[in-house]
């Protein structure tokens, strides 16, 4: 992983003159984090009964085999910052994370799966992201290129790879998770209401 980080850094260095000319720098960091694995979700009616039996089996298997192992993620993070950072906090800077390796499962009782992503694929994704940043910088201010916005908050909230971020846009993760769940419910209600108006 150290060798891959060096290759990603070399890629960033390759684009550094172009980035610098637009007032932008990219910081690279390696990050490891874990997340909790929960019991499988329930159901309704007969499904709830079957799921409760399955959950009991899951817990038995978990205790015997997997010992409540958490999901584990190794990733590289690009932080997009302005070179002139006066009045610009590091936590306001936009981030892009790329998973290198993960040990993950959907629920307790399930066998953990190890997935390691190919080096070339990661390098290609990083390079494409840098090129998109440069393209955006041609039309937007440094602040717009570097600063988090509501779309980034949504990305951080729903993206597994951003599980390490506990706070963004000045609010904690739970706040944003709640906001986006409520927004989704309202959107579904509006779609149903509009369909009802059109087809009634």
């Amino acid at each position: 992983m150290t060798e891959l980080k060096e290759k990603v850094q070399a890629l960033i260095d390759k684009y550094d003159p172009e980035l610098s000319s637009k007032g932008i720098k990219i910081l690279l960091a390696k990050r490891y984090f874990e997340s909790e694995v929960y019991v499988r979700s329930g159901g309704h009616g007969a499904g709830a009964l079957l799921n409760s039996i399955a959950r009991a089996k899951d817990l038995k298997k978990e205790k015997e085999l997997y010992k409540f192992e958490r999901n584990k993620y190794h990733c590289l993070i690009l932080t997009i910052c302005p070179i002139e950072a006066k009045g610009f906090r590091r936590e306001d800077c936009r981030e892009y994370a790329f998973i290198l390796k993960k040990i993950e499962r959907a629920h307790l009782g399930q066998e953990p799966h190890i997935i390691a992503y190919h080096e070339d694929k990661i390098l290609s994704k990083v390079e494409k992201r840098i090129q998109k940043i440069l393209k955006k910088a041609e039309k937007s201010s440094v602040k717009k290129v570097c600063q988090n916005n509501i779309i980034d908050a949504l990305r951080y909230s729903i993206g597994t790879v951003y599980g390490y971020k506990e706070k963004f846009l000045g609010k904690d993760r739970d706040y944003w998770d709640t906001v986006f769940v409520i927004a989704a419910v309202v959107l579904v209600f509006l779609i149903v209401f509009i369909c009802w108006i059109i087809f009634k």
Side-chain angles (χ1 to χ4, degrees), residues 14 60 76 164 182:
K14 171 186 162 185
K60 184 180 178 187
L76 289 177
Y164 64 91
I182 291 169

Side-chain angles (χ1 to χ4, degrees), residues 78-175:
L78 304 185
T79 305
I80 319 305
C81 300
I83 291 172
E84 296 294 328
K86 189 176 179 182
F88 207 101
R89 299 174 304 171
R90 173 71 182 268
E91 56 264 32
D92 294 332
C93 293
R94 183 170 283 137
E95 291 183 2
Y96 295 98
F98 303 86
I99 291 179
L100 306 178
K101 178 183 174 183
K102 63 182 179 180
I103 302 171
E104 189 180 51
R105 59 220 176 107
H107 59 78
L108 293 176
Q110 193 176 61
E111 182 183 356
H113 292 283
I114 301 173
I115 299 173
Y117 291 90
H118 198 275
E119 184 178 284
D120 290 343
K121 189 174 182 180
I122 294 165
L123 289 169
S124 175
K125 282 184 174 183
V126 169
E127 185 161 28
K128 283 177 184 174
R129 177 50 59 191
I130 294 171
Q131 289 169 350
K132 284 181 181 178
I133 291 163
L134 285 167
K135 192 173 180 181
K136 185 173 182 179
E138 290 174 5
K139 301 174 183 177
S140 303
S141 67
V142 172
K143 185 177 180 181
K144 281 190 176 178
V145 174
C146 298
Q147 190 170 39
N148 285 319
N149 59 30
I150 194 73
I151 302 301
D152 296 303
L154 176 61
R155 182 164 54 89
Y156 300 149
S157 180
I158 65 175
T160 303
V161 69
Y162 298 101
Y164 64 91
K165 289 185 75 67
E166 295 176 2
K167 194 173 183 179
F168 36 94
L169 285 186
K171 304 286 184 183
D172 63 26
R173 175 176 288 279
D174 289 340
Y175 170 86

